[in-house]
């Protein structure tokens, strides 16, 4: 009787130990899967972006530093081009990267320099509203952080494809499709529609020309504030400083050979009016506006150069994994007189792939080991 009782106790303990071991194995598998997903989809963006810092400038006596975050070529996919999985996964990471950047670095203003949408220039109104919904969801900012979006060729079309209906709906739902002077902390930004810079007499080009001369008059007013009768301009913009040009197309250059810094192994050559502004438009803009700094996108690759105006020009890399294996954005610290710009590298897609491959490898190794042990136990029993 006592022997039977002892055997029963030993049998029950053996079953419990087996169950405990099985639970431990399942827990290890769960930790590997959950840990890799949590790291890649939530934590890795914060770890990567935490390394970036705002460049430090000597503070201006009359205006605080302005911290501007700049990105370009978001290219949210539309209903025609691209696979749904591509749209889901890469845009999820784009959203994670943007929100992590806002949380960690807390800019004063965010500029998106064109090509917000991949098919914005030909989708119907229904799909455009869906574009707007997704864009506002992905690139939401707190109320006090201003988001400024500039039109690109994928938003409203190249010069030959621009239509009033398409241009006006972008302007109605977002920010700027023309030429505007935007001032914050006494730093002047001139926002330019690059596709209207061909000076061929089209209606968009005529309006852009008129707006540019109007901005020049405002800057001249601020430069000679004591003799300027335009009190509205003085009240809105207050202080003269050389402006910063923000647009989608880079200024004219024949290739990336002129880049002092770049992130692409192959140096691309550029065509006027397609990849860059024309030579004439570039020279004319520089003479008219006399800017001190320029930012652009469109090429999908980072480039820092001294342009034809003799000033620093930064061409931003694409913010999207679809267009760039190593996406990035810029962090600029600005005062009315000075500037410093640094590039912030985002999480690379290959890093995520490598982590998932390591997780799969660890699970396979664990399964092979457990299967091997199970076979050995079976052989011993035989």
């Amino acid at each position: 009787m006592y022997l039977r009782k002892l055997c029963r106790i030993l049998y029950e303990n053996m079953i419990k130990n087996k169950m405990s071991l099985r639970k431990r194995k399942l827990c290890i598998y769960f930790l590997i899967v959950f840990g890799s997903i949590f790291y890649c989809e939530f934590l890795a963006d914060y770890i990567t972006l935490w390394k970036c810092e705002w460049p430090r400038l000597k503070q201006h006596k009359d205006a605080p530093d302005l911290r501007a975050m700049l990105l370009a070529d978001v290219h949210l996919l539309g209903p025609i081009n691209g696979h749904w999985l591509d749209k889901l996964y890469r845009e999820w990471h784009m959203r994670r990267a943007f929100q992590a950047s806002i949380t960690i670095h807390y800019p004063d203003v965010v500029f998106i320099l064109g090509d917000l949408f991949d098919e914005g220039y030909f989708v119907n109104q229904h799909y455009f509203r869906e574009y707007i919904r997704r864009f506002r969801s992905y690139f939401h900012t707190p109320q006090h952080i201003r988001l400024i979006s500039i039109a690109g060729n994928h938003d409203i079309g190249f010069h030959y494809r621009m239509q009033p209906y398409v241009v006006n709906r972008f302007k109605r739902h977002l920010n700027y499709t023309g030429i505007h002077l935007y001032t914050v902390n006494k730093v002047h930004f001139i926002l330019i529609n690059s596709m209207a810079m061909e000076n061929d007499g089209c209606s968009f080009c005529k309006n852009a020309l008129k707006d540019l001369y109007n901005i020049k008059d405002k800057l001249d007013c601020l430069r000679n504030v004591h003799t300027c009768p335009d009190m509205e301009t003085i009240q809105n913009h207050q202080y003269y400083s050389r402006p910063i040009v923000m647009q989608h197309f880079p200024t004219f250059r024949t290739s990336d050979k002129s880049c002092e810094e770049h992130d692409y192994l192959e140096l691309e050559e550029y065509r006027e009016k397609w990849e860059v502004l024309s030579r004439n438009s570039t020279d004319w803009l520089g003479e008219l506006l006399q800017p001190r700094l320029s930012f652009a996108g469109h090429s999908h690759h980072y480039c820092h150069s001294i342009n034809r105006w003799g000033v620093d020009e930064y061409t931003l890399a694409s913010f999207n994994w679809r267009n760039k294996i190593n996406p990035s954005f810029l962090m600029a610290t600005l005062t009315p007189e000075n500037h410093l710009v640094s590039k912030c590298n985002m999480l690379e897609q290959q890093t995520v792939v490598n982590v998932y491959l390591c997780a799969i490898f660890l699970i396979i190794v664990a399964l092979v080991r457990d299967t091997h042990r199970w076979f050995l136990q079976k052989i011993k029993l035989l």
Side-chain angles (χ1 to χ4, degrees), residues 154-200:
H154 277 265
D155 301 316
I156 60 175
F158 276 107
H159 173 266
Y160 72 96
R161 294 198 66 163
M162 284 195 298
Q163 299 292 329
Y165 171 75
V166 176
V167 173
N168 289 333
R169 77 176 179 183
F170 184 93
K171 181 179 180 180
R172 185 167 59 251
H173 289 283
L174 295 157
N175 290 126
Y176 301 111
T177 56
I179 314 295
H180 298 269
L181 176 62
Y182 175 71
T183 301
V184 55
N185 287 12
K186 299 183 179 180
V187 177
H188 304 309
F189 300 95
I190 300 180
L191 314 176
I192 292 178
N193 178 351
S194 299
M195 291 71 70
M197 289 290 101
E198 295 201 8
N199 294 327
D200 62 354

Side-chain angles (χ1 to χ4, degrees), residues 41 94 123 168 356:
E41 307 305 325
M94 195 159 50
V123 294
N168 289 333
Y356 281 134

Side-chain angles (χ1 to χ4, degrees), residues 54-68:
W54 291 103
R56 296 185 178 181
L57 269 177
K58 184 178 180 181
Q59 191 165 346
H60 191 272
K61 61 181 180 179
D62 296 323
D65 291 348
L66 176 68
R67 293 181 171 184

Side-chain angles (χ1 to χ4, degrees), residues 6-143:
L6 180 62
C7 290
R8 184 165 55 89
I9 292 172
L10 290 173
Y11 177 76
E12 288 176 355
N13 286 335
M14 193 188 322
I15 295 295
K16 288 180 180 179
N17 288 335
K18 284 184 178 179
M19 290 298 293
S20 178
L21 180 61
R22 189 179 301 168
K23 286 180 180 179
R24 285 200 295 269
K25 291 177 181 178
L26 290 175
C27 183
I28 291 172
Y29 296 150
F30 173 78
L31 287 175
I32 293 173
V33 174
F34 176 79
S36 59
I37 292 175
F38 180 76
Y39 175 80
C40 291
E41 307 305 325
F42 296 93
L43 192 59
D45 285 303
Y46 285 90
I47 293 174
T48 303
L49 296 170
W50 200 279
K51 302 173 185 177
C52 302
E53 294 182 350
W54 291 103
R56 296 185 178 181
L57 269 177
K58 184 178 180 181
Q59 191 165 346
H60 191 272
K61 61 181 180 179
D62 296 323
D65 291 348
L66 176 68
R67 293 181 171 184
M69 176 179 169
L70 303 103
L71 52 141
D73 296 280
V74 171
H75 283 276
L76 296 181
L77 282 180
I80 298 175
N81 296 325
H83 193 273
W84 67 268
L85 185 60
D86 180 14
K87 181 189 299 186
L88 175 69
Y89 187 66
R90 286 178 170 160
E91 291 182 5
W92 157 258
H93 267 281
M94 195 159 50
R95 177 180 186 174
R96 295 298 309 161
F98 182 79
Q99 295 302 331
S101 301
I102 295 295
T103 302
I104 294 170
H105 300 298
Y106 222 64
D108 299 311
V109 61
V110 178
F111 291 94
I112 303 182
L113 304 186
D115 282 359
L116 284 61
F117 313 127
D118 196 58
E119 304 168 18
Y121 61 101
F122 64 80
V123 294
N124 61 30
Q125 187 61 21
H126 169 74
Y127 286 116
F128 190 78
R129 283 197 298 266
E130 176 62 15
Y131 256 147
I132 297 299
R133 184 196 65 78
R134 285 164 53 207
F135 177 79
R136 288 176 175 168
S137 173
Y138 297 169
F139 297 95
H140 171 73
T141 60
Q143 190 172 1

